[in-house]
Amino acid sequence: MPKMQSTPAKSGPFSVFVRSAQELKRPKSMVMLAMLLACHVVLGFFQLQLTDFIRISFAALPIGVAGMLYGPTAALMLGALGDPIKYLVSPTGPFFPGFTLSAAVTGLLFGLLFYGMHRDFDPCRKKRGFTVLRVAAAQLLNTLIVDLLLHSLWLSCLYGTPMGVLLPMRALKCALLFPVEGILLYLLLAAVARFLLSRPSALR
C-alpha cells in the first residue's frame, strides 16, 4: 500500500499570517498572549503626558514580544484589543478608534519583522548583528508610521491643530525617544529569547 505523502507547508505572501493564526489554537499560546495583553494594558496607564500632543509610553514593548513569539496575526489582535480594554478599565475622555488602529499597526509591523526571531539569539546561529538591525528597522518603521504620522493625524482630528504645527514638535520627541525605545525593546526581546533557550518547553 503506498505511503501517504505529507501535505507541503503553505508558502506565499500570506503564509506568515496563517502560521500566526494557528498559534491562537494552542492553549499555552493563548495564556501567554493574555499575560502580554495585561502587561500592555497596565503599561498604558504608566505614561508621561508632557503636553496635549506629546506623551511618553512604553506600552508597545509587550506587543513586540507577542510579535516575536506568535507572529503578526496574534500581535495585531493584541494591539487592537489593548486600547479599548484600557478605555473600559479607566475611561478618560471620548474613545477614539484611531489609536486602536495605531496599536494594531504596531502589532502588524512587529509581528512581520520579529516572528521567530527568538531562535536567532542562539549563540550557535551567529545572527546577533542581523537581529540588532531587525529591531532597529522595526522600531524605526513604528516610530515613523505610527508615532509620527498616524498619532499626529489622530491628534489633529481630535484637537483641530494643523499637521504642520504638530509634526515638528512630535518629530523632535520621536527622534529623542527612538534610541531609548529601540534599546529597551532589544533588551526585552533578548531576555525573553534567552529564557526560552534555557527552557525550550515553555512554548510547547
Side-chain angles (χ1 to χ4, degrees):
M1 186 174 179
K3 294 182 179 179
M4 296 292 293
Q5 293 184 351
S6 59
T7 304
K10 292 182 179 180
S11 60
F14 300 105
S15 61
V16 65
F17 294 98
V18 176
R19 287 186 286 116
S20 177
Q22 290 173 347
E23 299 278 6
L24 301 175
K25 298 178 181 179
R26 300 168 57 226
K28 186 172 286 189
S29 300
M30 295 303 296
V31 171
M32 181 63 73
L33 283 168
M35 294 173 59
L36 290 171
L37 177 60
C39 292
H40 171 58
V41 171
V42 170
L43 285 175
F45 292 120
F46 294 95
Q47 59 189 9
L48 182 60
Q49 191 80 38
L50 299 180
T51 70
D52 288 339
F53 309 120
I54 298 179
R55 179 184 65 186
I56 298 175
S57 173
F58 299 103
L61 293 176
I63 301 179
V65 176
M68 180 177 73
L69 300 182
Y70 305 113
T73 305
L76 185 152
M77 290 180 61
L78 188 149
L81 287 172
D83 189 60
I85 290 176
K86 177 178 174 292
Y87 182 81
L88 289 174
V89 173
S90 179
T92 53
F95 177 75
F96 188 75
F99 295 109
T100 304
L101 176 62
S102 293
V105 172
T106 295
L108 176 65
L109 291 173
F110 285 171
L112 288 173
L113 289 171
F114 293 161
Y115 192 21
M117 192 178 70
H118 55 285
R119 302 183 186 93
D120 294 342
F121 285 90
D122 188 336
C124 298
R125 301 191 68 169
K126 298 180 181 180
K127 288 187 176 181
R128 185 157 300 178
F130 179 64
T131 303
V132 172
L133 291 178
R134 284 173 70 175
V135 175
Q139 185 60 50
L140 179 61
L141 286 173
N142 188 63
T143 298
L144 294 176
I145 296 173
V146 177
D147 291 342
L148 183 58
L149 295 180
L150 288 181
H151 283 179
S152 297
L153 176 61
W154 309 145
L155 290 170
S156 179
C157 293
L158 278 171
Y159 295 100
T161 305
M163 288 280 286
V165 175
L166 288 175
L167 284 175
M169 67 176 76
R170 290 191 54 80
L172 177 60
K173 172 254 185 182
C174 290
L176 293 174
L177 284 182
F178 167 71
V180 177
E181 293 173 338
I183 291 171
L184 287 176
L185 182 59
Y186 177 83
L187 292 176
L188 177 61
L189 297 179
V192 172
R194 293 191 186 101
F195 173 79
L196 294 176
L197 286 172
S198 64
R199 299 185 183 182
S201 62
L203 288 179
R204 295 176 186 170

